Amino acid sequence: MSIYNLDRLFHPSSVAVIGASDQPGRIGMALMKNLIEGGYKGNLFPVNPKYQQIMGRAVIPAIDNLREPVDLALIAVPIEQVPLIIAQCSAAMVKTVIVISAGGKETGESGASLEKKIAAAASSARIRVIGPNCLGVMVPHCDLNASFAAGMPLKGNLAFVSQSGAVCTAILDFSFKEGIGFSHFVSIGSMVDVDFGDMIDFLGREPSVKSILLYVEQLTNIRKFMSAARAISRVKPIFVLKAGSSKAGALAAASHTGALAGEDAIYDAAFKRAGVVRVRTIEELFDCAELMAKYPKPSGPGMAIVTNGGGPGVMAVDAIAKYGLEPSELSSTTIEACSQILSCHWSKRNPVDLLGDASAETYGRIVDILLRDRNVHGLMVILAPQAITKPLAVANQLIASIKGGSLPVFAVWMGGRDVESAVQVLNDAGVATYSTPERAVNAFSYMVQHSRNVQMLREIPSRFEQPFECHLQEVRKIVQTTDLSTEGFLEEAKARDILEAYNIPFNTIISADSAESAVTAAQKIGWPVVLKILSPDIPHKTDVKGVQLNIHDEEQARSAYHAMLTSAGKYAPHARLEGVSVQRYIENPDLELLIGAKRDEAFGPVVVFGTGGIFTEVICDRALALPPLNRRLIKRLIEETKVARLLRGYRNLMPVDMEALEIIIQSIAQLVVDIPEVAELDINPVIVKDGKLLALDARIRLQPSLKPAPMHLVISPYPAQYELWTTTRSGLHLLIRPIRPEDADLFQILFQTLSPTSVYFRFFSSIKELSPEMLATLTQIDYDRHIALVAIDTSASPEKMLGVARIIADPDISNAEFSVIVGDPWQGQGIGAQLLLNLIDIARQYGIQTIWGTVLRENRQMLNLGKRCNFQIKNNLEEGTCELSINLSKALPISEMGEYAENSVFR
């Protein structure tokens, strides 16, 4: 249900405490005490049949005795009673509940069964649930402390959501010491209903929230999480601490790909794809909490350092290099200004060493200068206790110097008792403090990572020169005729057929089931050759001495054939031996790569790329990505590996044909998007020779998929099923299809055809050009909640985008806002109507109930289009606008919409 009724949970006008108590040590008493002492101003109803009065308030014996609606009920009774209590809440018209009670799935099967009953009861009553087994919820801005925590957080703009109540209490205690304030503080518990995806969707739309912190032990409904995180991380930073070790599945090491794509590495890939920054420790989460609560994100990776000791300055520079950042290169203006203050012997570069006798005034003057340098994106101020330097005086000077500044500033007061009072003053003033330079740099690196994530989310991918083509039906035929109940890999010939259907370039291979046929195959291919054992039960051929290289003649071929079969029979006596494969021997390849995919139980298919060969697990140079992939994401995947440097050319190595490599990776990604039965795929090695790529060996394991395509993916792929050809009433023959990220250039050209009036009608403001950020937002969409259809004139050279219509659904997928834009040269030809009618049809398939949009009253063309498409029109005289809306349950199907639906043919 996503954010349905969550506003009532976090901004309730009335709260009931079921299991309220006045006995010290009881959770029911702590809940009542926190609500009252926290200053909650709404109606408060204690519920317990054992009391008549609690804390001066009349007690209700049961929640269904209450004769007025309740927004939020806190449940603190034994968990066995919770399903019945929720049924009573339904009768009392309760909208949301927080189940504090423990004893769910963490206790075993019986507890898991109870949680299923709680979820079923809540779902049937459309009651939103947080918990069970949670601390509760705190919203300082609303004076709501609906928890049994020891105190209310300070007011701030940071939202924190945790699966662990213990982590909640630790963060809360830390926040008091460091002066960190929160907008929302949520212990989410076992997540029988409200999960991390729901919370991100809700918090992302709360004006009081500037940043989101998550403590995650396990994700549920990962597709929803990815959709929410990808939408919100563009506008608000999300930091996550993912805890919990992973256990490898029984088949994880069946191939190199399986061994490399462990669960934790997949979480890393998922968080990167969603624009989420992952931290590794509680300490780092604390540091991020402090930073994001106190500073805006940096505009770049450059950090400047001011120190009164050379050693700490060197430590800071070493840490900067360790985390892949860079010390700011000071401008000549900055160096000259610092030289007017410092000794003539100062280094005239970053870090700026003030020496041990630095005064508070010197610190202040140098900080003022550095804050004006455009190359400085973050500033670290280090103080080591000295006989002359006064820690408290320098702290007060720093506070004055940075007041009103926009850069993140890191105060590193090193020491213990001598700096304790100064550190407290800095914290009270909202300055981020750290005990060591390394911690400060680490925290800054996470801020930079977030900035880079947002930048990458907004990058516009380029197009491939050649359109992607594959023989999908051939592959589906292979899958349909394969027994998927076995756990083994496909025969090598079938695996090769599948990959060649997706245009993977393979070395010439011929199968041979005897020594003589191996000789014949070698003669056909040409000497020298390679012989490899053929067996669906032996994925790692070198383990059984099943590979013989550089075979030059018939005698060697016969000998190698018999030796390999003997060796395989010895090392794998139960394996099915089908002979050998014979292929051309390529001597001394420049590089060996691995390209593969693995289907993860939670995340679906994952693409793997890295260094290949028989030692690939030892080298462990690999990167992972979640399909679907575009060219930008593929480039990023490659760049995350160490072998990427060699691919660009190194010493005597020629540069690799990067577009050919990107196409291979795209083909693998598309294969696992199209065929959910691919459980494991391993092309190792893909060799590089003189810049060219060639696959030498491949393995594929197929298994039944619990979900059909495309629901087996956690990121919605391009919905090709909505492509259609249509002819407008004016005779334009157009391709109408969903927008792609690569359409940014076409969209920009379309925008240039718009008159100032058309721009104003669409955007409600005067925009002269679309920024890269706007283009990315308009073209890189989440197809689970946002559909944009474009009208393409393919007869033009190059092809032209004539119009765009889009619907953006709310997270509940119940209502959606629409918009339509058509280039001025093509207005009045039925393009907008055709786009809008097809959007209505798609919205109906999504389950959207209502489509609405706001139109300026002067936009007569759009209002007329709304009338023709049966929208209701309501005037807003005060705003000078009209709201158009249509109830899809009452709207006609597209096939009955008349002239605009004629001649539409889906591809």
Side-chain angles (χ1 to χ4, degrees), residues 348-370:
K348 296 180 176 59
R349 64 175 182 268
N350 189 18
V352 180
D353 189 352
L354 309 183
L355 303 181
D357 60 352
S359 66
E361 180 187 4
T362 302
Y363 264 100
R365 292 174 69 186
I366 295 299
V367 166
D368 289 341
I369 293 167
L370 292 175

Side-chain angles (χ1 to χ4, degrees), residues 423-435:
V423 170
Q424 188 59 53
V425 167
L426 289 165
N427 284 331
D428 291 344
V431 180
T433 60
Y434 300 88
S435 57

Side-chain angles (χ1 to χ4, degrees), residues 7-15 40 42 71-72 96 142 144:
D7 56 331
R8 296 176 182 268
L9 193 153
F10 291 101
H11 309 114
S13 59
S14 54
V15 177
Y40 175 64
D71 282 343
L72 171 63
T96 64
C142 299
L144 175 70

Side-chain angles (χ1 to χ4, degrees), residues 637-653:
L637 175 71
I638 295 169
E639 289 300 320
E640 287 179 1
T641 62
K642 294 175 183 176
V643 77
R645 291 183 61 191
L646 302 177
L647 296 173
R648 293 190 291 267
Y650 185 76
R651 293 185 177 175
N652 64 332
L653 294 181

Side-chain angles (χ1 to χ4, degrees), residues 691-755:
K692 304 298 182 183
L693 296 143
L694 197 63
L696 299 189
D697 199 6
R699 285 158 288 181
I700 296 178
R701 183 164 58 86
L702 300 178
Q703 280 189 324
S705 175
L706 298 177
K707 297 177 180 178
M711 297 311 297
H712 68 303
L713 303 167
V714 294
I715 299 172
S716 181
Y718 174 79
Q721 68 271 25
Y722 299 136
E723 292 183 347
L724 62 87
W725 291 100
T726 189
T727 302
T728 69
R729 63 181 183 182
S730 62
L732 281 173
H733 190 56
L734 301 175
L735 169 62
I736 291 183
R737 61 165 174 81
I739 202 165
R740 296 189 181 107
E742 297 86 355
D743 288 333
D745 289 342
L746 291 178
F747 198 105
Q748 187 74 276
I749 294 170
L750 168 64
F751 181 83
Q752 292 165 3
T753 71
L754 300 175
S755 65

